[in-house]
Amino acid sequence: MLGEYAWGAGALAYLYRQLGIASRAEAKGVSGCLTLLQCWIYDHFPTLRPSRLEPRELERGQAGAFRWRGTAPRSSKRRDAQMLAYYRQAIDSLTPQSVSWTPYGRSPHLTVRRTLYQGLLRFAEIAEYYDPTRCLRQLGYVQGVPYPPERPLVVRRPASTLGYSLSYQSVYDSYWNNLGAHSVHLDLFSTPIRRRPWEFAENYMSWYIRHSHPHILSDSRPVDDISDADTVSTIIF
């Protein structure tokens, strides 16, 4: 059995899998712990927060979702279309300055050591790879080229959601329970951010362009022409 925080790891593994399925061309919805996803969006993107929800201090023992309270407006086809257009414009207009890069503090890993865990998260038969080197700026470190992920044994990602399959050769609960041997040593991998919270290493953007999906980038300029002042969509998406 997984050790402490296993319920959180299981919820995250299941959400990762459902987001993968939802990315298929024929997908019409998404499941999983969407409250977790919403809170992550609200924490990192202030311009995407609903106007009726305001952050507030948590009482001891309360879940993070309690920082956001309010009533969502009644849904309608007209309003849904308006909100879709609004959010698309808001995302297209994001800049590095409009992102909260360290919403949990500059060094959350010092409070929650398991943040640095690197390996597979498991929920029943579902296993998903977790790697903090892919989100170093959230930990207050310069983003560099992440470690290569563990390769799955079986991968099937068709247009249909029904045939989606992803499995690994082995999933060891002992990895999760032996944090010291399966965690990232930040100071050996990167350096703390000194200037701007969206800093990245010199070779990061060239790696990112090679491994990303060009159709979601905001422009097609050569990587040498992209600076840290450009829109967020060329940096983190």
PDB file of all heavy atoms in Angstrom, residues 114-128:
ATOM      1  N   ARG A 114       7.478  15.980  -0.079  1.00  0.00           N
ATOM      2  CA  ARG A 114       7.044  15.060  -1.122  1.00  0.00           C
ATOM      3  C   ARG A 114       6.794  15.784  -2.447  1.00  0.00           C
ATOM      4  O   ARG A 114       6.609  15.145  -3.487  1.00  0.00           O
ATOM      5  CB  ARG A 114       5.800  14.301  -0.682  1.00  0.00           C
ATOM      6  CG  ARG A 114       5.629  12.969  -1.377  1.00  0.00           C
ATOM      7  CD  ARG A 114       4.596  12.117  -0.677  1.00  0.00           C
ATOM      8  NE  ARG A 114       5.064  11.623   0.595  1.00  0.00           N
ATOM      9  CZ  ARG A 114       5.831  10.540   0.743  1.00  0.00           C
ATOM     10  NH1 ARG A 114       6.222   9.870  -0.320  1.00  0.00           N
ATOM     11  NH2 ARG A 114       6.214  10.147   1.934  1.00  0.00           N
ATOM     12  N   THR A 115       6.809  17.099  -2.435  1.00  0.00           N
ATOM     13  CA  THR A 115       6.723  17.869  -3.674  1.00  0.00           C
ATOM     14  C   THR A 115       7.852  17.496  -4.630  1.00  0.00           C
ATOM     15  O   THR A 115       7.701  17.592  -5.847  1.00  0.00           O
ATOM     16  CB  THR A 115       6.790  19.376  -3.372  1.00  0.00           C
ATOM     17  OG1 THR A 115       5.732  19.722  -2.478  1.00  0.00           O
ATOM     18  CG2 THR A 115       6.657  20.217  -4.626  1.00  0.00           C
ATOM     19  N   LEU A 116       8.985  17.069  -4.099  1.00  0.00           N
ATOM     20  CA  LEU A 116      10.155  16.744  -4.919  1.00  0.00           C
ATOM     21  C   LEU A 116      10.169  15.296  -5.395  1.00  0.00           C
ATOM     22  O   LEU A 116      11.124  14.879  -6.054  1.00  0.00           O
ATOM     23  CB  LEU A 116      11.437  17.030  -4.128  1.00  0.00           C
ATOM     24  CG  LEU A 116      11.633  18.485  -3.686  1.00  0.00           C
ATOM     25  CD1 LEU A 116      12.931  18.630  -2.902  1.00  0.00           C
ATOM     26  CD2 LEU A 116      11.613  19.425  -4.878  1.00  0.00           C
ATOM     27  N   TYR A 117       9.139  14.522  -5.071  1.00  0.00           N
ATOM     28  CA  TYR A 117       9.075  13.131  -5.520  1.00  0.00           C
ATOM     29  C   TYR A 117       9.119  13.060  -7.042  1.00  0.00           C
ATOM     30  O   TYR A 117       8.483  13.843  -7.748  1.00  0.00           O
ATOM     31  CB  TYR A 117       7.793  12.474  -5.014  1.00  0.00           C
ATOM     32  CG  TYR A 117       7.523  11.113  -5.623  1.00  0.00           C
ATOM     33  CD1 TYR A 117       8.256  10.003  -5.220  1.00  0.00           C
ATOM     34  CD2 TYR A 117       6.553  10.949  -6.608  1.00  0.00           C
ATOM     35  CE1 TYR A 117       8.022   8.749  -5.775  1.00  0.00           C
ATOM     36  CE2 TYR A 117       6.304   9.697  -7.168  1.00  0.00           C
ATOM     37  CZ  TYR A 117       7.044   8.603  -6.747  1.00  0.00           C
ATOM     38  OH  TYR A 117       6.814   7.368  -7.308  1.00  0.00           O
ATOM     39  N   GLN A 118       9.875  12.108  -7.562  1.00  0.00           N
ATOM     40  CA  GLN A 118       9.970  11.892  -9.009  1.00  0.00           C
ATOM     41  C   GLN A 118       9.722  10.422  -9.300  1.00  0.00           C
ATOM     42  O   GLN A 118      10.470   9.553  -8.854  1.00  0.00           O
ATOM     43  CB  GLN A 118      11.354  12.303  -9.527  1.00  0.00           C
ATOM     44  CG  GLN A 118      11.502  12.191 -11.043  1.00  0.00           C
ATOM     45  CD  GLN A 118      12.907  12.535 -11.487  1.00  0.00           C
ATOM     46  OE1 GLN A 118      13.879  12.090 -10.873  1.00  0.00           O
ATOM     47  NE2 GLN A 118      13.020  13.332 -12.527  1.00  0.00           N
ATOM     48  N   GLY A 119       8.656  10.145 -10.035  1.00  0.00           N
ATOM     49  CA  GLY A 119       8.334   8.759 -10.348  1.00  0.00           C
ATOM     50  C   GLY A 119       6.875   8.615 -10.719  1.00  0.00           C
ATOM     51  O   GLY A 119       6.216   9.576 -11.113  1.00  0.00           O
ATOM     52  N   LEU A 120       6.359   7.414 -10.584  1.00  0.00           N
ATOM     53  CA  LEU A 120       4.984   7.117 -10.981  1.00  0.00           C
ATOM     54  C   LEU A 120       4.026   7.310  -9.814  1.00  0.00           C
ATOM     55  O   LEU A 120       4.304   6.917  -8.686  1.00  0.00           O
ATOM     56  CB  LEU A 120       4.881   5.690 -11.501  1.00  0.00           C
ATOM     57  CG  LEU A 120       5.633   5.409 -12.810  1.00  0.00           C
ATOM     58  CD1 LEU A 120       5.628   3.915 -13.101  1.00  0.00           C
ATOM     59  CD2 LEU A 120       5.014   6.176 -13.971  1.00  0.00           C
ATOM     60  N   LEU A 121       2.891   7.955 -10.119  1.00  0.00           N
ATOM     61  CA  LEU A 121       1.788   8.041  -9.180  1.00  0.00           C
ATOM     62  C   LEU A 121       0.765   6.984  -9.582  1.00  0.00           C
ATOM     63  O   LEU A 121       0.541   6.761 -10.770  1.00  0.00           O
ATOM     64  CB  LEU A 121       1.141   9.428  -9.229  1.00  0.00           C
ATOM     65  CG  LEU A 121       2.048  10.621  -8.948  1.00  0.00           C
ATOM     66  CD1 LEU A 121       1.259  11.911  -9.086  1.00  0.00           C
ATOM     67  CD2 LEU A 121       2.665  10.527  -7.554  1.00  0.00           C
ATOM     68  N   ARG A 122       0.124   6.347  -8.602  1.00  0.00           N
ATOM     69  CA  ARG A 122      -0.761   5.233  -8.927  1.00  0.00           C
ATOM     70  C   ARG A 122      -2.140   5.403  -8.307  1.00  0.00           C
ATOM     71  O   ARG A 122      -2.277   5.862  -7.178  1.00  0.00           O
ATOM     72  CB  ARG A 122      -0.157   3.911  -8.453  1.00  0.00           C
ATOM     73  CG  ARG A 122      -0.979   2.684  -8.846  1.00  0.00           C
ATOM     74  CD  ARG A 122      -0.182   1.422  -8.607  1.00  0.00           C
ATOM     75  NE  ARG A 122       0.036   1.164  -7.198  1.00  0.00           N
ATOM     76  CZ  ARG A 122      -0.834   0.530  -6.405  1.00  0.00           C
ATOM     77  NH1 ARG A 122      -1.978   0.112  -6.889  1.00  0.00           N
ATOM     78  NH2 ARG A 122      -0.545   0.309  -5.139  1.00  0.00           N
ATOM     79  N   PHE A 123      -3.148   5.058  -9.092  1.00  0.00           N
ATOM     80  CA  PHE A 123      -4.511   4.911  -8.595  1.00  0.00           C
ATOM     81  C   PHE A 123      -5.071   3.633  -9.201  1.00  0.00           C
ATOM     82  O   PHE A 123      -5.331   3.570 -10.403  1.00  0.00           O
ATOM     83  CB  PHE A 123      -5.381   6.103  -8.994  1.00  0.00           C
ATOM     84  CG  PHE A 123      -6.834   5.916  -8.635  1.00  0.00           C
ATOM     85  CD1 PHE A 123      -7.264   6.078  -7.331  1.00  0.00           C
ATOM     86  CD2 PHE A 123      -7.758   5.554  -9.600  1.00  0.00           C
ATOM     87  CE1 PHE A 123      -8.595   5.885  -6.997  1.00  0.00           C
ATOM     88  CE2 PHE A 123      -9.092   5.358  -9.282  1.00  0.00           C
ATOM     89  CZ  PHE A 123      -9.510   5.531  -7.972  1.00  0.00           C
ATOM     90  N   ALA A 124      -5.218   2.578  -8.376  1.00  0.00           N
ATOM     91  CA  ALA A 124      -5.659   1.268  -8.864  1.00  0.00           C
ATOM     92  C   ALA A 124      -4.731   0.840 -10.000  1.00  0.00           C
ATOM     93  O   ALA A 124      -3.522   0.758  -9.814  1.00  0.00           O
ATOM     94  CB  ALA A 124      -7.117   1.317  -9.279  1.00  0.00           C
ATOM     95  N   GLU A 125      -5.276   0.587 -11.201  1.00  0.00           N
ATOM     96  CA  GLU A 125      -4.440   0.159 -12.323  1.00  0.00           C
ATOM     97  C   GLU A 125      -3.856   1.331 -13.103  1.00  0.00           C
ATOM     98  O   GLU A 125      -3.068   1.127 -14.035  1.00  0.00           O
ATOM     99  CB  GLU A 125      -5.262  -0.730 -13.270  1.00  0.00           C
ATOM    100  CG  GLU A 125      -6.251  -0.001 -14.157  1.00  0.00           C
ATOM    101  CD  GLU A 125      -7.515   0.432 -13.423  1.00  0.00           C
ATOM    102  OE1 GLU A 125      -7.635   0.097 -12.222  1.00  0.00           O
ATOM    103  OE2 GLU A 125      -8.365   1.094 -14.055  1.00  0.00           O
ATOM    104  N   ILE A 126      -4.199   2.551 -12.742  1.00  0.00           N
ATOM    105  CA  ILE A 126      -3.704   3.746 -13.441  1.00  0.00           C
ATOM    106  C   ILE A 126      -2.369   4.167 -12.855  1.00  0.00           C
ATOM    107  O   ILE A 126      -2.205   4.251 -11.634  1.00  0.00           O
ATOM    108  CB  ILE A 126      -4.707   4.895 -13.324  1.00  0.00           C
ATOM    109  CG1 ILE A 126      -5.987   4.572 -14.084  1.00  0.00           C
ATOM    110  CG2 ILE A 126      -4.111   6.200 -13.845  1.00  0.00           C
ATOM    111  CD1 ILE A 126      -7.089   5.599 -13.908  1.00  0.00           C
ATOM    112  N   ALA A 127      -1.402   4.441 -13.719  1.00  0.00           N
ATOM    113  CA  ALA A 127      -0.101   4.962 -13.293  1.00  0.00           C
ATOM    114  C   ALA A 127       0.268   6.121 -14.212  1.00  0.00           C
ATOM    115  O   ALA A 127       0.173   6.013 -15.434  1.00  0.00           O
ATOM    116  CB  ALA A 127       0.969   3.881 -13.348  1.00  0.00           C
ATOM    117  N   GLU A 128       0.669   7.240 -13.624  1.00  0.00           N
ATOM    118  CA  GLU A 128       1.061   8.425 -14.386  1.00  0.00           C
ATOM    119  C   GLU A 128       2.366   8.967 -13.827  1.00  0.00           C
ATOM    120  O   GLU A 128       2.598   8.936 -12.620  1.00  0.00           O
ATOM    121  CB  GLU A 128      -0.032   9.500 -14.323  1.00  0.00           C
ATOM    122  CG  GLU A 128      -1.313   9.147 -15.045  1.00  0.00           C
ATOM    123  CD  GLU A 128      -1.168   9.220 -16.560  1.00  0.00           C
ATOM    124  OE1 GLU A 128      -0.212   9.865 -17.034  1.00  0.00           O
ATOM    125  OE2 GLU A 128      -2.022   8.641 -17.260  1.00  0.00           O
TER     126      GLU A 128
END
